[in-house]
Amino acid sequence: MPTAAPDPATGAAAIDIDDRSPEIGVVLGSGLGAFADRLENARSTPFAAIPGMPSASVVGHAGEFLIGSLGERRVAVLRGRVHTYEGHSAATVAYPIRVLAALGCTTLVVTNAAGGINPSFKVGDLMAIVDHLNLPGLSGNNPLVGAPGHRFVDMVNAYDPALVELAEGVARELGFELRRGVYAMVSGPSFETRAELRFLRAVGVDAVGMSTAPEVIVARQLGMRVLGISCITNQANPDVPTPVNHEDVLATGQAVRERFGNLLAKVIPRL
Ligand code: HPA
């Protein structure tokens, strides 16, 4: 049986916040944590100080909740996330999204590092997620199993098409092309075999990673608008087998940090 989920209001109450609630929540993926440095007047609360918050154990995921401003917008940033491959249930992994909603966030920007399945993708490309394939969820590890609230959540257009267009327009203004694609979540933590990569390509996947789907499902359950951005950190091409490792994933995150940060910093005030 799943354990009772902690009350997100208790988690939210433990977060250092001034008089203005955040409206936008941002989850930063592997190697992408530096974006948090762009927040003005940020207040930080370590994950460990928030009741119910699972602790992040992966290199590249520091684990703090930051509340600050980007222009006129109040933003809550999760620097670091937890993954199901650390042994947490999908419901636990998505608990921080419930805390964001309890704080007042109505929009979620979720980011991740991903392998590029689409052969036209290059390392360092950024991709707006237009849809996802939740592979662990299809076989039972869905964050709404045993969770509070409405269960039969509609996932058509879970990634808000208007926000995809907004992000594409901003990328154009910044002088680069934002790719579009379908993100597949796999449980990991081992990377994919060539047969698995062929399978993912055959079913229409453009990028593969080990996160995001549980968070987006809970965000949709709570009525949040969602924008998802993947950073392509490696090619995941069955015909050009290139070994991938976690250090490379983090290193690429740092190389595209500037472009990624510029995109988010310009998109968020327009959300
Ligand atoms: N596979 C799965 N997850 C990933 C990858 C990958 O190639 N790159 C970054 N996260």
Side-chain angles (χ1 to χ4, degrees):
M1 281 297 287
T3 49
D7 180 358
T10 315
I15 293 171
D16 187 8
I17 185 171
D18 58 18
D19 49 343
R20 287 172 60 209
S21 303
E23 318 143 72
I24 298 161
V26 181
V27 179
L28 296 175
S30 298
L32 302 172
F35 173 74
D37 298 335
R38 298 191 183 220
L39 282 184
E40 298 133 35
N41 303 317
R43 294 171 181 231
S44 160
T45 309
F47 283 0
I50 304 169
M53 211 52 196
S55 56
S57 66
V58 186
V59 179
H61 295 267
E64 65 181 323
F65 230 103
L66 292 139
I67 314 269
S69 301
L70 263 184
E72 294 299 301
R73 310 310 296 273
R74 295 290 292 163
V75 184
V77 173
L78 275 110
R79 171 148 52 187
R81 61 144 65 87
V82 291
H83 300 83
T84 50
Y85 64 69
E86 294 167 73
H88 303 293
S89 70
T92 300
V93 161
Y95 172 75
I97 307 305
R98 297 188 184 280
V99 175
L100 287 173
L103 285 169
C105 294
T106 52
T107 302
L108 177 69
V109 179
V110 64
T111 70
N112 57 50
I117 300 275
N118 185 321
S120 78
F121 285 4
K122 295 183 189 60
V123 170
D125 277 353
L126 299 177
M127 179 191 94
I129 304 175
V130 295
D131 206 345
H132 81 208
L133 187 60
N134 177 16
L135 287 169
L138 293 182
S139 54
N141 196 8
N142 183 296
L144 302 185
V145 173
H150 172 57
R151 284 192 177 142
F152 305 107
V153 173
D154 174 33
M155 290 297 290
V156 172
N157 288 335
Y159 298 83
D160 193 319
L163 300 189
V164 171
E165 284 199 13
L166 169 69
E168 273 176 347
V170 169
R172 239 176 278 123
E173 287 170 25
L174 290 169
F176 71 92
E177 186 197 351
L178 184 64
R179 307 304 199 121
R180 271 184 186 222
V182 173
Y183 173 87
M185 178 186 177
V186 293
S187 74
S190 54
F191 288 109
E192 297 69 40
T193 64
R194 291 172 77 178
E196 287 162 349
L197 294 175
R198 273 195 296 274
F199 164 79
L200 291 169
R201 191 194 280 185
V203 296
V205 170
D206 297 290
V208 58
M210 303 175 190
S211 67
T212 302
E215 290 133 303
V216 171
I217 292 169
V218 167
R220 293 304 300 148
Q221 183 199 33
L222 300 172
M224 299 168 91
R225 294 190 308 162
V226 176
L227 171 66
I229 305 285
S230 291
C231 169
I232 305 301
T233 53
N234 56 282
Q235 280 190 319
N237 183 339
D239 305 324
V240 190
T242 344
V244 51
N245 63 57
H246 189 59
E247 288 67 37
D248 290 347
V249 167
L250 295 182
T252 307
Q254 277 166 23
V256 291
R257 167 203 293 200
E258 198 64 23
R259 198 140 58 104
F260 171 82
N262 292 344
L263 179 71
L264 254 54
K266 229 171 161 176
V267 165
I268 288 171
R270 298 199 211 166
L271 287 171

